[in-house]
Amino acid sequence: MMQLAVPEVPLLNVDNLVVEYGLGNKTVHAVSGVSLQVARGETLGLVGESGCGKSTLGRAVLQLRRAKSGRVLFDGEDLTAMEGETLRKMRRRVQLIFQDPIASLNPRRRIGDIVAEPLIIAGIKDAVERKRRVHEVLSAVGLDPDLVAGRLPHEFSGGQCQRICIARSLVLNPEFIVCDEPVSALDVSIRAQILNLLEEMKTRFGLTLLFIAHDLAVVKAVSDRVAVMYLGRLCEVGPSQQLFANPAHPYTALLLQAIPVPDPDVRPAESVAAGEPPSPIAPPSGCRFRTRCLRADQRCSAEIPELREIAPGQFAACHHPLA
Amino acid sequence: MSSPLLTIADVAVELPTPRGNLRAVDHVDLSLEAGRTLGIVGESGCGKTMLSRAVLQLLPKKAKLTGRVMFDGQDLARLAPESLRRLRGRDLAVVFQDPMTSLNPVLTIGTQLMETIQEHLELDAPEARKRSIELLAAVGIPAPEQRLTQYPHQCSGGMRQRIAIAIALSCEPKLLIADEPTTALDVTIQAQILDLLAREQRRRHMAMIIITHDLGVVAGRADEVAVMYAGRVVERAPTSALFKRMHMPYTEALLAAIPKLDAAPHTPLPAISGRPPDPTRPLRGCSFAPRCRYATGRCHEAKPALTSAEMPDHLYACFHPIQLAEGVGA
Ligand SMILES: Nc1ncnc2c1ncn2[C@@H]1O[C@H](COP(=O)(O)OP(=O)(O)OP(=O)(O)O)[C@@H](O)[C@H]1O
Ligand SMILES: Nc1ncnc2c1ncn2[C@@H]1O[C@H](COP(=O)(O)OP(=O)(O)OP(=O)(O)O)[C@@H](O)[C@H]1O
Ligand code: SF4
Ligand code: SF4
Ligand SMILES: [Mg+2]
Ligand SMILES: [Mg+2]
């Protein structure tokens, strides 16, 4: 598989990952040969429409869903080959934040205990030390530990619950966090607060992030590079500015065009987006985007396009990329 | 100016809760003319859905509605249930965020469309069937004849929303209320559905209310925008005037907080601190005062009324409006 140009040895290296689900006697091809790298200290944004396999990819990185084939190298070590205690140790370095903050908090447990849970699982027995860590991360996310530690999740708003989830993900001092749509369920004004908080935490704790979202503007706000996914495959990867200014893959261009812009002088383009994404149970041959692509030809149905470098650092999987 | 098709006058909705009465809608005035589109924007819980349900007279049973809703010369609050039912689905149609709210999971799409059509229009079965096929084609459903025999669960989310729109349009309504019709859909499908609504609206000269939390959705699609906050309309203006100069600090802050496609990565967002007030607590001053960077003592003491300064159709509820032209008083 091709290596993508990143400044140093990547902290995360996903190599030709394939993840499938069984559905009755059928197979859902959720992630079909995805390769990507994330450099230490970098935020890689991952965008794509519902069902394209973003969460599956994120979960497979953490080994919460085992891949059918391919490798996930974290700091040079292959997580897909790890089991039991070794994997558990490794997991302390990699955390996950979910989309639905309220649902991901146990409603019957107090906030202090929820945030301390990863410490207990990691075997940190010193209660004083645990309390110190919990206070530290709750303060870091802008909550008053003395006021919130004893309360239950239902006493908090969605934005506050997401702060609590972020605190929980930070408590083990991880190096890498997969953020799976962390702001999609939040209102505009709260969303901005949480995005700013994530940026702040990233700098403060020296984190590396895989930031999953379906909103391109949200992804751009926090990402150094962006990867665009469609129906289980990567379409395009590149530096954020460059990819948004000059999309090379027709699907990236389509996504950009479809976004409603809060400016009445920008006339919404009559939707060129014909049709809907096909089912991942029977994905199209060749390029998976070809059933909706205006540029599709014979070759697109016969041959799977590989990612190739279109401009420095920008890679697209397309036989007929945009100029 | 022709007389409006819809006039909402001093409408308030209160809901009893264990913690006391909740002000879901707090004295709202709005009007809409035939063939025009009004966008209602605001964050979660600001009362958009309750306001639209007040218009439709579909509020929760225990809700207390005051004020008047005049539609096509009739006061809907005084209409007998039977007349209301006839009106809804015929002259007054609605599309919800979740299409399954208006679709019946155990009936085929054809049955649902034909039933609605035959209930409101005098058409026999073959005519209603023909009409159904035309409608499904009009909302962009491929092979509409085959779809008639399918059930909602056999369709994708985008398809279901198209079908819900087809049913809503089936009796040529004078007013269509679309409550977050695309929030649950992907961005490329959202664009298709918004185009579809705009096209049908123009073609039928229908009035439309689009409810959304996305300023981007109303920017290109509505003639006029009303911004809601904590149950009230806090700013209202023709769309282009509003985006050119917002007078209410909340509207400005809301627009500023949206990540922009043309901003460089890692640009900190001007977030609005805090969150909206608890709608069960009494509120003396401006509802935005605790979060507003322009707030003064007066803002905490008195409630600003919706007024205009420069242009009669640009209304705002603020003691210290921003971006007013030089020399125009508040
Ligand atoms: N446990 C499962 N069993 C069967 N199919 C699944 C399962 N989980 C996900 N899928 C399917 O795999 C595909 C990828 O799903 P995934 O949740 O990864 O997408 P996503 O990009 O995260 O979507 P969303 O934006 O809706 O969260 C979808 O077609 C989904 O229906
Ligand atoms: N059935 C109900 N009983 C009591 N309170 C309710 C009920 N439905 C809504 N509310 C409350 O009424 C207020 C207005 O709610 P409404 O649903 O109109 O908001 P909205 O603007 O449509 O929000 P969203 O964007 O989340 O749909 C909120 O405070 C909400 O919690
Ligand atoms: S490979 Fe062909 S079908 Fe796929 S995006 Fe490129 S032009 Fe379109
Ligand atoms: S009235 Fe005062 S608090 Fe309210 S928006 Fe205007 S300046 Fe801000
Ligand atoms: Mg997901
Ligand atoms: Mg609502």
Side-chain angles (χ1 to χ4, degrees):
Chain A
M1 238 4 237
M2 170 175 330
Q3 291 293 307
L4 304 188
V6 280
E8 48 169 309
V9 179
L11 180 61
L12 178 75
N13 186 356
V14 174
D15 182 20
N16 208 5
L17 201 69
V18 176
V19 190
E20 295 175 353
Y21 299 103
L23 199 68
N25 54 5
K26 300 195 179 103
T27 303
V28 180
H29 301 274
V31 174
S32 308
V34 167
S35 298
L36 50 83
Q37 286 79 31
V38 192
R40 198 179 279 278
E42 183 186 42
T43 298
L44 177 71
L46 181 62
V47 289
E49 294 180 276
S50 184
C52 73
K54 304 181 296 298
S55 298
T56 303
L57 178 62
R59 295 175 66 80
V61 164
L62 293 165
Q63 306 304 310
L64 295 171
R65 174 88 204 178
R66 291 294 192 151
K68 184 178 172 230
S69 63
R71 293 188 308 160
V72 177
L73 299 175
F74 183 77
D75 205 7
E77 296 186 67
D78 188 359
L79 300 186
T80 56
M82 286 182 192
E83 278 179 11
E85 186 61 19
T86 346
L87 183 60
R88 218 165 54 102
K89 279 235 170 66
M90 205 63 185
R91 276 215 185 111
R92 296 174 57 167
R93 302 169 65 189
V94 193
Q95 293 290 316
L96 179 65
I97 301 172
F98 296 97
Q99 168 172 356
D100 188 345
I102 296 170
S104 59
L105 298 176
N106 183 336
R108 282 177 297 276
R109 303 202 56 196
R110 299 189 185 283
I111 303 306
D113 297 333
I114 289 174
V115 176
E117 195 181 324
L119 295 169
I120 294 173
I121 295 173
I124 294 174
K125 300 212 168 57
D126 181 350
V128 179
E129 167 63 10
R130 284 204 305 263
K131 191 165 175 201
R132 194 188 63 75
R133 283 295 297 156
V134 168
H135 272 232
E136 189 183 327
V137 290
L138 281 174
S139 317
V141 299
L143 297 170
D144 181 340
D146 296 316
L147 283 182
V148 305
R151 291 162 69 186
L152 295 167
H154 74 86
E155 298 175 60
F156 295 92
S157 67
Q160 287 172 317
C161 285
Q162 196 56 289
R163 282 178 197 273
I164 294 163
C165 292
I166 293 172
R168 180 176 57 181
S169 77
L170 291 171
V171 78
L172 284 171
N173 251 325
E175 291 155 64
F176 189 91
I177 302 184
V178 174
C179 308
D180 191 357
E181 310 240 15
V183 297
S184 302
L186 304 176
D187 260 323
V188 177
S189 69
I190 312 298
R191 174 179 301 180
Q193 294 172 11
I194 298 295
L195 287 173
N196 287 346
L197 173 69
L198 279 169
E199 288 277 272
E200 200 187 308
M201 294 302 109
K202 188 191 152 189
T203 318
R204 178 160 165 187
F205 295 98
L207 299 168
T208 303
L209 305 180
L210 177 62
F211 187 96
I212 300 173
H214 60 261
D215 184 327
L216 280 154
V218 164
V219 160
K220 190 182 177 198
V222 297
S223 305
D224 303 297
R225 288 189 307 134
V226 170
V228 181
M229 206 170 165
Y230 185 80
L231 210 62
R233 292 228 181 97
L234 284 193
C235 298
E236 186 161 8
V237 192
S240 311
Q241 290 277 46
Q242 195 175 322
L243 186 126
F244 281 72
N246 298 304
H249 196 284
Y251 179 62
T252 313
L254 172 64
L255 273 183
L256 283 166
Q257 229 165 27
I259 298 172
V261 180
D263 178 351
D265 293 336
V266 181
R267 280 273 127 212
E270 275 286 315
S271 53
V272 280
E276 304 195 358
S279 158
I281 291 172
S285 64
C287 173
R288 290 194 175 174
F289 184 56
R290 69 174 164 83
T291 55
R292 299 172 79 193
C293 182
L294 298 175
R295 300 166 85 89
D297 65 7
Q298 289 260 295
R299 187 175 170 207
C300 304
S301 48
E303 215 181 296
I304 298 175
E306 294 287 335
L307 275 180
R308 58 192 174 90
E309 196 160 15
I310 303 284
Q314 184 178 3
F315 297 77
C318 175
H319 297 308
H320 313 291
L322 307 169
Chain B
M1 219 205 262
S2 57
S3 82
L5 175 67
L6 174 74
T7 307
I8 298 171
D10 203 29
V11 162
V13 177
E14 283 203 353
L15 295 156
T17 74
R19 294 186 304 136
N21 271 353
L22 181 150
R23 290 181 312 276
V25 178
D26 192 4
H27 301 280
V28 165
D29 296 285
L30 283 174
S31 65
L32 182 61
E33 284 167 46
R36 308 271 293 171
T37 300
L38 169 70
I40 299 182
V41 287
E43 296 183 273
S44 187
C46 71
K48 305 182 294 296
T49 294
M50 284 300 148
L51 178 61
S52 68
R53 288 185 175 270
V55 172
L56 294 159
Q57 304 286 317
L58 284 176
L59 288 166
K61 270 205 189 64
K62 52 194 171 108
K64 189 170 144 254
L65 168 71
T66 56
R68 284 199 313 161
V69 179
M70 298 294 294
F71 176 74
D72 209 10
Q74 290 170 296
D75 185 345
L76 296 191
R78 289 163 197 272
L79 228 49
E82 181 51 29
S83 328
L84 250 181
R85 214 177 51 84
R86 247 197 327 266
L87 198 70
R88 279 198 301 261
R90 199 196 151 104
D91 293 333
L92 189 56
V94 60
V95 175
F96 297 102
Q97 173 175 341
D98 178 2
M100 289 314 286
T101 313
S102 41
L103 296 178
N104 186 331
V106 300
L107 295 180
T108 65
I109 288 149
T111 308
Q112 300 189 48
L113 257 168
M114 286 163 62
E115 266 184 4
T116 313
I117 292 171
Q118 287 190 290
E119 188 183 333
H120 295 287
L121 306 177
E122 276 169 28
L123 293 179
D124 61 23
E127 285 169 332
R129 189 183 139 82
K130 187 163 159 276
R131 177 83 179 242
S132 303
I133 295 170
E134 287 165 6
L135 275 162
L136 289 178
V139 297
I141 292 194
E145 291 215 49
Q146 276 104 292
R147 283 285 167 190
L148 288 182
T149 56
Q150 292 192 330
Y151 292 88
H153 71 88
Q154 291 170 295
C155 305
S156 70
M159 285 289 171
R160 283 183 210 151
Q161 195 56 292
R162 285 175 200 272
I163 293 160
I165 291 171
I167 292 176
L169 295 175
S170 62
C171 304
E172 308 275 332
K174 292 180 178 151
L175 171 65
L176 177 72
I177 298 181
D179 188 354
E180 311 237 16
T182 59
T183 303
L185 302 175
D186 271 322
V187 53
T188 62
I189 311 297
Q190 160 169 308
Q192 295 173 10
I193 299 284
L194 291 173
D195 284 349
L196 163 67
L197 284 170
R199 196 179 62 227
E200 293 303 314
Q201 189 245 345
R202 274 195 306 273
R203 206 167 66 74
R204 297 160 193 266
H205 198 66
M206 171 177 84
M208 184 155 78
I209 297 179
I210 293 194
I211 295 174
T212 171
H213 59 262
D214 188 343
L215 274 168
V217 165
V218 295
R221 320 259 176 189
D223 300 307
E224 204 189 1
V225 177
V227 179
M228 286 186 77
Y229 186 74
R232 303 184 73 201
V233 171
V234 293
E235 183 155 15
R236 181 181 147 199
T239 311
S240 56
L242 181 81
F243 281 88
K244 218 164 266 144
R245 288 217 234 121
M246 321 191 142
H247 294 331
M248 167 74 189
Y250 172 66
T251 317
E252 181 196 49
L254 191 64
L255 186 67
I258 302 173
K260 304 294 181 305
L261 273 174
D262 52 10
H266 307 301
T267 312
L269 292 163
I272 310 174
S273 61
R275 54 189 174 117
D278 179 344
T280 59
R281 294 263 180 80
L283 200 74
R284 213 147 48 127
C286 169
S287 51
F288 190 52
R291 307 172 80 188
C292 179
R293 63 192 178 105
Y294 305 99
T296 61
R298 185 181 176 199
C299 306
H300 295 275
E301 293 305 318
K303 208 172 266 186
L306 209 53
T307 54
S308 63
E310 292 167 332
M311 293 191 295
D313 56 355
H314 190 156
L315 303 168
Y316 53 86
C318 177
F319 293 128
H320 311 295
I322 50 178
Q323 300 194 54
L324 280 184
E326 204 79 38
V328 181

